[in-house]
Amino acid sequence: MIIRLKDIEKKYDNVQAVKPIDVTIEDTFVTILGQSGCGKTTLLKMLAGLTEPTSGEILFDDQTIFSKSQKINVKPNKREIAMVFQDFGLWPHMTVFENVAFGLRGKLSKTERADVVRDALLKVKLEAKASMKPGELSGGQQQRVALARAIAVNPNLILFDEALSALDAILREQMREEILTIVQSIGSQAIFVTHDQTEAMAMSDSMIVMDTGDVVQTGSPEEIYYSPANPFVANFIGKTNWIEDNERMIRPENVHLYPQKNTTCRSGVIKKSMYAGDRYVIFAETNGQLWKFYDNHPHQQGTNIKLYVQENNIHSLTKQEA
């Protein structure tokens, strides 16, 4: 499905939560990434029909879902969308089976509902928990119930609103893989809202980066990481080394300790080393800038060092703080 947002915006009195934006979404798994308050959840809710845009149009393929000028606003339950929330949104008095079946009421017979629910629970590996209440489950299991409920209605599009933020780090990583696998297996599209850049980079076919209500860049994770459109994107996604006031930047992994082909050399002084599990992040002051690079061992504070960079790894843009 091709999703088109045409001049979509949202105002609350004098506050502009989402500025007029034009975005086309075609990929299977798309992430909307930005800091808290940037408008990403508001954008997601406009897609879902839970928040009415102030102006603009939303199209799913050739069908107009919303148009302010044409006075079209398709109801949420008619958009063939499912949504997974940060707080899971489960009914505590219902069993896992009943929670997953809830959205199927009035659509399928009792026997058909049972078959669909069992299949959904099988996909999320919770078939053995069908008779339990949400309060008896772990956070990860509750998240799986919410996902099963979403896929049970066979949506064309699943919207995830900070769906993993309530989970611990290890569980989040496991759920990322499971969500990707399940979305691919059912043939749906997914739009995933997050403020976590690692999550976005790992999961996305393409990304939409937002800042203060505006879409500042779209593209694949690789395009956005290596060719950020502006300083906000460069600082927000990944680690960045700025080259004095020349309005250029380079990523830490492209800083070397030994000469490479077509490299230039910079002198620096080690300030500190931070252990990051599989490597160390080393901070060095060079020409008045605090740079970061990676190594397999720590470096002694105060040590003089030579750093080498290749010109083709330097990206030019205007410097400002994120």
Side-chain angles (χ1 to χ4, degrees):
M1 179 168 66
I2 300 175
I3 301 168
R4 295 182 177 88
L5 307 177
K6 299 182 177 181
D7 288 324
I8 282 292
E9 69 172 321
K10 181 60 182 178
K11 292 181 180 179
Y12 295 99
D13 296 325
N14 294 325
V15 178
Q16 193 160 36
V18 175
K19 298 174 184 177
I21 60 174
D22 285 279
V23 173
T24 298
I25 298 171
E26 299 184 58
D27 289 317
T28 299
F29 204 104
V30 178
T31 300
I32 303 176
L33 176 68
Q35 296 173 323
S36 297
C38 72
K40 56 188 184 294
T41 294
T42 301
L43 181 58
L44 199 74
K45 289 182 176 179
M46 288 192 288
L47 278 168
L50 302 177
T51 295
E52 183 176 334
T54 303
S55 64
E57 294 182 347
I58 302 173
L59 287 84
F60 291 175
D61 287 330
D62 296 324
Q63 180 186 4
T64 300
I65 298 299
F66 175 85
S67 173
K68 191 70 173 181
S69 61
Q70 299 178 52
K71 298 181 179 180
I72 297 172
N73 190 6
V74 176
K75 293 180 179 180
N77 62 342
K78 300 295 184 183
R79 297 192 181 194
E80 298 184 352
I81 288 176
M83 196 160 183
V84 180
F85 298 95
Q86 178 180 349
D87 62 358
F88 311 143
L90 304 177
W91 298 102
H93 63 286
M94 293 183 179
T95 65
V96 167
F97 186 97
E98 291 167 341
N99 267 282
V100 177
F102 187 80
L104 301 172
R105 291 180 177 181
K107 298 179 180 179
L108 300 173
S109 69
K110 187 175 180 179
T111 301
E112 290 172 326
R113 285 202 305 271
D115 290 340
V116 170
V117 171
R118 278 193 292 268
D119 182 62
L121 290 176
L122 186 64
K123 283 186 170 69
V124 300
K125 304 174 186 176
L126 281 181
E127 60 273 19
K129 308 290 185 180
S131 61
M132 298 177 69
K133 300 287 181 64
E136 301 175 89
L137 305 178
S138 67
Q141 289 170 336
Q142 291 183 44
Q143 182 61 273
R144 287 187 176 91
V145 176
L147 181 56
R149 183 180 57 190
I151 65 177
V153 298
N154 193 30
N156 289 329
L157 175 66
I158 304 177
L159 306 178
F160 295 86
D161 185 17
E162 299 279 7
L164 302 182
S165 61
L167 306 179
D168 62 56
I170 294 176
L171 195 52
R172 286 182 74 153
E173 188 168 345
Q174 292 173 349
M175 285 304 300
R176 285 178 207 162
E177 297 171 4
E178 291 188 22
I179 286 173
L180 284 171
T181 299
I182 291 168
V183 168
Q184 290 169 356
S185 71
I186 65 175
S188 290
Q189 281 179 284
I191 299 177
F192 193 99
V193 159
T194 183
H195 63 272
D196 187 316
Q197 56 169 280
T198 302
E199 203 163 78
M201 299 285 285
M203 299 179 75
S204 306
D205 295 319
S206 62
M207 297 165 58
I208 298 170
V209 184
M210 294 189 69
D211 179 32
T212 58
D214 201 9
V215 171
V216 291
Q217 189 170 1
T218 62
S220 70
E222 294 83 0
E223 290 169 344
I224 289 174
Y225 182 80
Y226 287 111
S227 301
N230 62 27
F232 169 80
V233 178
N235 285 328
F236 186 58
I237 298 178
K239 294 179 173 62
T240 303
N241 296 321
W242 291 100
I243 300 179
E244 289 80 55
D245 296 322
N246 295 330
E247 302 173 351
R248 300 183 297 162
M249 52 78 70
I250 189 168
R251 297 295 188 185
E253 63 270 22
N254 291 321
V255 177
H256 305 286
L257 297 178
Y258 302 99
Q260 309 283 318
K261 186 177 181 180
N262 299 322
T263 56
T264 58
C265 178
R266 302 167 64 91
S267 298
V269 178
I270 299 297
K271 291 300 180 181
K272 62 180 177 180
S273 300
M274 292 179 59
Y275 184 55
D278 60 338
R279 60 188 174 182
Y280 286 84
V281 182
I282 316 297
F283 294 78
E285 184 176 342
T286 173
N287 293 351
Q289 300 284 340
L290 189 64
W291 273 29
K292 297 168 283 289
F293 64 92
Y294 303 123
D295 204 354
N296 293 325
H297 59 83
H299 290 241
Q300 183 65 40
Q301 184 176 351
T303 303
N304 292 322
I305 195 168
K306 298 289 186 182
L307 302 176
Y308 298 89
V309 299
Q310 293 174 302
E311 288 295 324
N312 61 351
N313 288 325
I314 297 174
H315 184 67
S316 299
L317 67 169
T318 303
K319 182 184 175 184
Q320 67 184 40
E321 292 301 321

